[in-house]
Amino acid sequence: MTASEGAPVFAHVDAITEAGEYRARAGKPLRLPDGREIGTLSEVPRLYVTRAFGRLAQAPVLPYATRLEMLAKAADLFENAVLEGQSVDDYLDLVSLCAGVPRAIAHASVAAIARTLRALPDTLAQEIPRGAVTDLDDPRLRDGAAYWARRGRTLAVHASGNTPGVHSLWPSALALGYAVAVRPSSREPFTPQRLVRAFREAGFASHVALLPTDHDVADVLIEQADRALVYGGQSVVDKYAADPAVLTQGPGRSKTVVTDDVDWHEHLDTIAASVANLGGAACTCTTAVLVEGDLATAHAFAAALAGRLAEVEAGKHRTELPEETARQLADYVEQAGKGTTPYGRDDIVETVRPGTAVLHPVVRVAADAEASVLGVELPFPCVWVAPYRRADGIAPLASSLVVAAITEDMEFGSRLLDEPGIANVYLGAHTTTWMKPGVPHDGYLSEHLMRTKGVIR
């Protein structure tokens, strides 16, 4: 692959199955943010999907140790190798130029995904229930024990395209013995393409597939698979809410809360990083900050945060978008934020080249912690600030993927941990974007894919 005038000559993303790569007759243009077409995303038909799943369901279940060795090899290939003529630099060019993801973020994501794959032996060991066994030769089965068993054979993944890092989750299904089919996002199909190529070269040729489709065929993957992992907005969450075979990854609505027993001035860097890390596009990025105190305190904090975000933001951390999309998002901020007070730049859209723009951070103050705007999540650094009182309870913090509580009050922290609507709680000066292999993101994926069975032999 070569580059010309800052753009790759081509960026074809084809279906990949046990038989190799396949270019469908139908396809969707792949474009740069400025609208230039640089390739095609194949869109395979229904019959191709059903046949692919038929083959995936027949893939042999390899020994656990073999799977882990293959995943470690795939990590090295994904991070370093030339795969089907594509080098790591070629891949980073595609993610940066076509998807608009800052190159620094894409590069960090490559390292993070590889690190997660290498950590799977330790991660999965932590996920297995204490007392459960994974091998029929385990002597504990002579007296009877729990056996860690799959709920199915195949997993379908409807991937998102906000950041490459979302692809660090589903590969653990391969370690658990599943065969996996991924439907890539049309915005950023390059990470799953490279991952699937790496897995195939590492030995998972019959266990993994890349199946790009149009929207009409997308549900066929869900129908064919035993289990599914689906990314999307609230409408997607609502669509599959009643289906126990589908695990949804919806809006994060992650929040930071600062109680009045700490000085928020000392934590501006941490909070700014929570808002702006990963280009502000990840589900773990802070969407709202609740500051204990009165409305004047919230305004003072927002002014300081806007200033700090203006200092730390740099071109390498801002996602490039089609200018029309950027202006639509700016208009939506104005509509959703009616009645809020803005801090920072008046015009948040900056044209960086014809047809391409970036969005500067948005900081706006709502009147109280009950404002519905606190749940509005946008794919760039946009944060809503509101005053808060611990006496008002933790309801304003519920329905959050992450709550980072900058507090000295561990009783308050315990209340957050006991709230079912909060997936993760980080106590102290931690960003909401903090992650570590082995620590669950939204529970362990194995909770959805596995179960215990009573066995004696």
Side-chain angles (χ1 to χ4, degrees):
M1 186 177 298
T2 60
S4 174
E5 297 181 356
V9 173
F10 69 89
H12 295 299
V13 178
D14 299 322
I16 307 175
T17 66
E18 183 179 10
E21 304 209 7
Y22 168 75
R23 185 161 302 172
R25 292 181 180 179
K28 182 174 184 177
L30 290 172
R31 302 181 186 277
L32 300 182
D34 63 11
R36 283 181 290 165
E37 184 176 332
I38 60 168
T40 304
L41 176 68
S42 286
E43 293 183 330
V44 298
R46 174 184 295 266
L47 181 60
Y48 189 94
V49 171
T50 57
R51 287 179 174 174
F53 267 94
R55 292 192 295 270
L56 287 169
Q58 299 302 314
V61 179
L62 302 172
Y64 182 59
T66 300
R67 285 178 253 151
L68 293 180
E69 289 173 4
M70 289 161 58
L71 284 162
K73 181 179 179 181
D76 292 337
L77 292 167
F78 175 72
E79 191 171 24
N80 302 304
V82 175
L83 299 170
E84 298 291 334
Q86 181 193 71
S87 69
V88 175
D89 283 337
D90 294 335
Y91 156 75
L92 292 173
D93 282 344
L94 288 170
V95 175
S96 178
L97 293 169
C98 190
V101 175
R103 190 181 179 91
I105 292 175
H107 190 269
S109 295
V110 169
I113 291 170
R115 187 166 56 247
T116 299
L117 292 175
R118 296 186 184 106
L120 278 174
D122 292 335
T123 299
L124 294 178
Q126 295 177 51
E127 296 180 21
I128 297 172
R130 182 175 296 181
V133 304
T134 60
D135 191 328
L136 279 175
D137 292 329
D138 194 301
R140 286 174 289 178
L141 289 177
R142 299 298 180 185
D143 296 320
Y147 180 78
W148 194 225
R150 285 177 294 278
R151 295 179 183 270
R153 281 289 296 115
T154 57
L155 172 71
V157 181
H158 279 198
S160 68
N162 52 341
T163 67
V166 300
H167 295 284
S168 62
L169 180 60
W170 62 262
S172 64
L174 291 171
L176 294 168
Y178 274 79
V180 182
V182 182
R183 178 182 182 266
S185 161
S186 60
R187 181 186 170 204
E188 204 281 89
F190 313 112
T191 300
Q193 178 192 46
R194 184 168 177 81
L195 270 173
V196 169
R197 285 172 170 172
F199 290 138
R200 283 174 52 79
E201 190 162 324
F204 285 110
S206 59
H207 300 80
V208 65
L210 188 73
L211 298 176
T213 70
D214 63 20
H215 288 291
D216 291 337
V217 180
D219 277 345
V220 179
L221 276 78
I222 308 297
E223 296 166 3
Q224 293 290 312
D226 298 318
R227 312 295 284 181
L229 173 65
V230 178
Y231 291 82
Q234 189 60 49
S235 61
V236 170
V237 174
D238 295 341
K239 177 179 179 179
Y240 295 109
D243 190 342
V246 179
L247 175 65
T248 55
Q249 300 286 284
R253 301 189 179 101
S254 297
K255 300 176 181 68
T256 296
V257 58
V258 187
T259 57
D260 62 5
D261 55 356
V262 298
D263 183 355
W264 57 257
H265 297 84
E266 298 177 1
H267 300 287
L268 279 172
D269 285 340
T270 298
I271 299 169
S274 292
V275 175
N277 278 356
L278 303 172
C283 54
T284 54
C285 292
T286 287
T287 295
V289 180
L290 304 186
V291 184
E292 188 164 29
D294 57 16
L295 188 58
T297 301
H299 279 284
F301 168 82
L305 178 61
R308 191 59 53 89
L309 284 169
E311 292 174 10
V312 303
E313 72 159 335
K316 66 179 181 179
H317 296 305
R318 291 183 288 165
T319 299
E320 293 185 357
L321 299 167
E323 185 169 2
E324 181 181 0
T325 300
R327 297 203 177 278
Q328 288 172 348
L329 286 169
D331 290 343
Y332 182 74
V333 168
E334 292 299 324
Q335 295 168 13
K338 284 182 179 178
T340 62
T341 304
Y343 286 87
R345 289 174 57 121
D346 293 328
D347 182 7
I348 64 170
V349 179
E350 178 186 345
T351 302
V352 293
R353 66 182 64 89
T356 302
V358 295
L359 288 159
H360 289 271
V362 166
V363 180
R364 285 181 172 246
V365 178
D368 58 66
E370 302 296 330
S372 60
V373 75
L374 300 184
V376 173
E377 181 177 280
L378 293 168
F380 70 99
C382 177
V383 63
W384 314 95
V385 177
Y388 174 72
R389 296 189 309 164
R390 270 175 282 181
D392 292 337
I394 59 174
L397 295 162
S399 300
S400 300
L401 175 61
V402 182
V403 170
I406 303 177
T407 183
E408 298 292 337
D409 184 353
M410 290 303 104
E411 189 278 331
F412 178 62
S414 294
R415 291 168 64 197
L416 293 172
L417 285 168
D418 289 338
E419 167 53 47
I422 299 174
N424 305 299
V425 177
Y426 304 158
L427 300 174
H430 303 288
T431 66
T432 52
T433 55
W434 176 88
M435 294 187 75
K436 177 183 177 182
V439 177
H441 168 69
D442 188 5
Y444 288 125
L445 181 58
S446 62
E447 296 172 29
H448 178 63
L449 300 181
M450 308 295 283
R451 57 163 295 187
T452 51
K453 292 184 178 182
V455 178
I456 187 170
R457 58 167 300 188

